[in-house]
Amino acid sequence: MAHIGRVENYLGDESLGMANPLEGKRIMLGVTGSIAAYKAADLASRLTQKGAVVTTLLTNSALEFVTPLTFQSVTGQKAFVDDDLWGGEGHVVHVQIGHSTDLMIIAPASANTIAKLAHGIADNLLTITALAATCPLVIAPAMDAGMFSHPATQENIHVLKERGVVIIGPDEGHLASGLVGPGRMTQPQEIVDEVRWLLAKGGPLSGKKIVVTAGGTREAIDPVRYISNRSSGKQGYAVAQAALDLGSAVTLITAPSSLTAPKGCQVMQVESAAEMCDAVLKEINSADALIMSAAVADFRPASYTSEKIKKEKGLEAILLEPTKDILSEVARVKKKNKLDLKVVGFAAESQDLKSNASRKMHAKAMDMIVANDITDPQAGFSVDTNKVLLLFSDGSTEQLPLMQKSEVAERIIQHLVSWLVEGAG
Ligand code: CTP
């Protein structure tokens, strides 16, 4: 008996759509003296690629490791150094911070700079600017393990946290000194993800909770074999990201997937349709909307063999039985408990797309169904694009062109904004 395998790719940058919260944000990036300063250039580049306008401030110690030109080249913005403090522009920087900067990030933040920030010392352009800043401050420490665990540093970090500073990391790992321990600056992509989430707070969906299911369920035959499907989880993970980007709380109920859950989700790992059903029915009681992007198995082996089935014994057939239809269960519970819940389902069809999708939407009491033709090679399971038809319970439809899955996700979430926030529907 062969497995039904699944091919999955990392969700990757295509998940960051046009409306990501970094777009157009003004970020001040402070870089201090640490070997991790080279990673700050990567961070600056990633933030810029997501649409942020990144101005860099380098301390004199940072200049021992990296140059302003590096940052100017990747951000297209001026990188300031201490010499600018005594020129005309130093004043501009710390005034600008007070007025137009959305976020200040210090990465890497050395033990020395952290100590200065904790005590309000302002003896260089970076610390003066941090003291003048009224925007949120994010710090990614980087130092040797001994310096990080020193009570002085720990107390300083505690003081900063109490003041509302967001501390990211440090991670554990091999340090420049040869020690292994906490002190490595968190990877730039993780900092970008965290910042994206922070900037989304207060968005139009804040205070709302959206439950998203994703991936293809696995129905076990024995301890090593299962029946599954080709779903990659990409569309569901993109929907979760789009909801987070507008400030919603998101519970992602996911079947096994190689994708990384977007930062900020509450993740519930499930395997089978039955486990997914239990998780969904629990979570909808406190939710405003459910988006069923998961490819749920319709059938499962009627019996499970707890010992691995041996080849010599042979297996002529696997008897299957139907799984519970989760959306039908949701419709029943919603009615019984009088839940105010918007329900969005998906339909992957190979023929009669509109009529099949419409039938499913009404049969499962959905408010909207996202239908796609799986015979279209650009709208299949593992690709990053999708071409969908949206059908609504009032009979209206909206055909979307071929789009990134992240863009499809944004369009779906836009409908939730109009229902949950603007009171439409
Ligand atoms: N779905 C569900 N529970 C199941 C199967 C599907 O809740 N046991 C949900 C899917 O997550 C999707 C919608 O129902 O949002 C439609 O799924 P689909 O597999 O296309 O529809 P089925 O009703 O299973 O019909 P068929 O497989 O025959 O096309």
Side-chain angles (χ1 to χ4, degrees):
M1 151 79 39
H3 287 59
I4 299 177
R6 298 191 300 144
V7 180
E8 293 165 327
N9 300 317
Y10 175 62
L11 184 61
D13 280 356
E14 89 287 345
S15 68
L16 309 181
M18 299 260 305
N20 86 75
L22 285 158
E23 184 81 44
K25 291 292 185 329
R26 303 192 74 87
I27 293 180
M28 189 63 73
L29 173 64
V31 182
T32 74
S34 154
I35 179 60
Y38 79 94
K39 288 195 204 169
D42 186 22
L43 174 62
S45 170
R46 287 170 191 262
L47 291 167
T48 305
Q49 285 173 45
K50 297 301 158 245
V53 180
V54 182
T55 306
T56 313
L57 294 177
L58 297 119
T59 64
N60 282 336
S61 312
L63 293 177
E64 301 290 330
F65 296 95
V66 285
T67 70
L69 183 62
T70 314
F71 290 87
Q72 280 170 198
S73 305
V74 296
T75 64
Q77 302 294 319
K78 178 154 171 74
F80 291 90
V81 296
D82 264 3
D83 282 351
D84 295 312
L85 180 58
W86 311 114
E89 288 178 281
H91 176 71
V92 175
V93 175
H94 76 264
V95 170
Q96 178 197 343
I97 273 280
H99 292 106
S100 62
T101 299
D102 295 294
L103 188 78
M104 183 167 185
I105 307 173
I106 304 179
S110 64
N112 185 39
T113 294
I114 288 172
K116 287 186 202 174
L117 295 172
H119 293 89
I121 294 170
D123 64 348
N124 60 21
L125 185 57
L126 171 57
T127 47
I128 290 172
T129 307
L131 200 58
T134 52
C135 62
L137 177 60
V138 171
I139 285 180
M143 64 198 72
D144 205 36
M147 294 169 80
F148 179 70
S149 59
H150 192 284
T153 306
Q154 288 300 311
E155 272 170 37
N156 290 334
I157 287 179
H158 178 74
V159 166
L160 293 176
K161 275 189 186 162
E162 290 280 296
R163 274 186 215 147
V165 174
V166 176
I167 312 285
I168 302 178
D171 292 350
E172 298 226 359
H174 283 275
L175 302 167
S177 63
L179 287 176
V180 177
R184 263 163 63 146
M185 189 178 101
T186 298
Q187 291 304 323
Q189 187 57 49
E190 272 183 60
I191 299 176
V192 172
D193 293 343
E194 180 100 21
V195 164
R196 178 178 184 157
W197 182 50
L198 286 173
L199 289 172
K201 286 185 180 167
L205 287 175
S206 53
K208 306 292 180 197
K209 171 175 164 176
I210 297 179
V211 177
V212 181
T213 66
T217 62
R218 290 180 179 177
E219 310 304 323
I221 298 166
D222 71 9
V224 293
R225 302 177 179 95
Y226 57 83
I227 297 173
S228 190
N229 57 66
R230 291 184 184 279
S231 172
S232 65
K234 283 187 175 186
Q235 187 61 75
Y237 278 56
V239 167
Q241 180 70 76
L244 287 164
D245 282 348
L246 294 186
S248 182
V250 174
T251 300
L252 177 65
I253 302 174
T254 178
S257 169
S258 62
L259 304 176
T260 306
K263 174 79 202 168
C265 282
Q266 190 212 338
V267 181
M268 293 176 80
Q269 293 281 350
V270 295
E271 196 153 311
S272 63
E275 284 173 19
M276 184 171 277
C277 190
D278 288 348
V280 168
L281 293 183
K282 178 170 168 276
E283 289 300 311
I284 55 167
N285 290 305
S286 54
D288 298 285
L290 166 68
I291 305 183
M292 272 301 291
S293 334
V296 186
D298 291 323
F299 298 95
R300 66 177 181 193
S303 62
Y304 171 75
T305 313
S306 58
E307 301 297 337
K308 186 182 172 197
I309 299 167
K310 300 304 286 176
K311 190 165 63 181
E312 305 85 66
K313 286 201 173 163
L315 184 67
E316 277 178 15
I318 298 173
L319 190 65
L320 299 176
E321 65 182 13
T323 57
K324 268 190 196 154
D325 190 281
I326 301 175
L327 279 176
S328 300
E329 289 296 303
V330 167
R332 187 181 58 75
V333 170
K334 184 178 156 181
K335 199 169 168 191
K336 185 171 144 238
N337 296 353
K338 297 191 174 56
L339 298 178
D340 192 7
L341 179 80
K342 292 289 176 190
V343 177
V344 178
F346 280 70
E349 304 292 343
S350 58
Q351 55 188 343
D352 303 327
L353 181 71
K354 194 172 169 187
S355 57
N356 274 332
S358 175
R359 184 181 43 76
K360 282 178 192 175
M361 175 174 60
H362 292 297
K364 302 190 192 189
M366 304 176 204
D367 296 283
M368 171 169 107
I369 192 159
V370 184
N372 71 309
D373 178 352
I374 53 167
T375 61
D376 184 333
Q378 292 168 308
F381 284 114
S382 295
V383 292
D384 293 333
T385 50
N386 212 350
K387 191 174 166 195
V388 303
L389 172 70
L390 306 181
L391 289 91
F392 301 88
S393 53
D394 66 0
S396 59
T397 60
E398 186 182 330
Q399 175 66 59
L400 300 183
L402 185 70
M403 288 174 154
Q404 292 292 315
K405 285 183 174 170
S406 57
E407 292 172 308
V408 172
E410 285 164 18
R411 295 295 275 266
I412 294 167
I413 295 299
Q414 276 306 330
H415 284 285
L416 288 186
V417 172
S418 66
W419 293 334
L420 301 178
V421 184
E422 293 155 13

